């Protein structure tokens, strides 16, 4: 797990987009930082725990398989 220092006005979804290019992963940040679960906009300077994401496992099969 790494850390991230929030900037003034950032939100969990914006941070998730910056870190992982997917704002839908914001809940992973919230779960790793329960002390900030009620924060909408960060004041700036808060140190957040950044969880490691599992490796993507996408399996696409051709229709004939």
């Amino acid at each position: 797990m790494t850390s991230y220092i929030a900037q003034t006005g950032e939100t969990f979804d914006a941070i998730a987009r910056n870190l992982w290019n997917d704002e839908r992963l914001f809940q992973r940040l919230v779960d790793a930082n329960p002390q900030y679960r009620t924060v909408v906009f960060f004041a700036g300077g808060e140190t957040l725990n950044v969880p490691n994401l599992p490796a993507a496992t996408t399996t696409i099969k051709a229709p004939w398989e």
Side-chain angles (χ1 to χ4, degrees), residues 2-65:
T2 60
S3 62
Y4 177 85
I5 299 176
Q7 303 299 309
T8 303
E10 279 190 308
T11 58
F12 276 113
D13 60 331
I15 295 169
R17 186 177 57 246
N18 289 338
L19 293 172
W20 302 310
N21 296 318
D22 191 344
E23 62 274 2
R24 296 171 296 175
L25 296 173
F26 79 93
Q27 191 61 50
R28 304 247 182 157
L29 285 172
V30 174
D31 293 344
N33 298 280
Q35 69 275 30
Y36 298 119
R37 70 181 171 274
T38 60
V39 171
V40 177
F41 297 101
F42 286 97
E46 298 90 345
T47 301
L48 303 177
N49 294 316
V50 178
N52 297 323
L53 294 181
T57 55
T58 303
T59 304
I60 300 173
K61 290 189 173 190
W64 57 86
E65 292 185 319

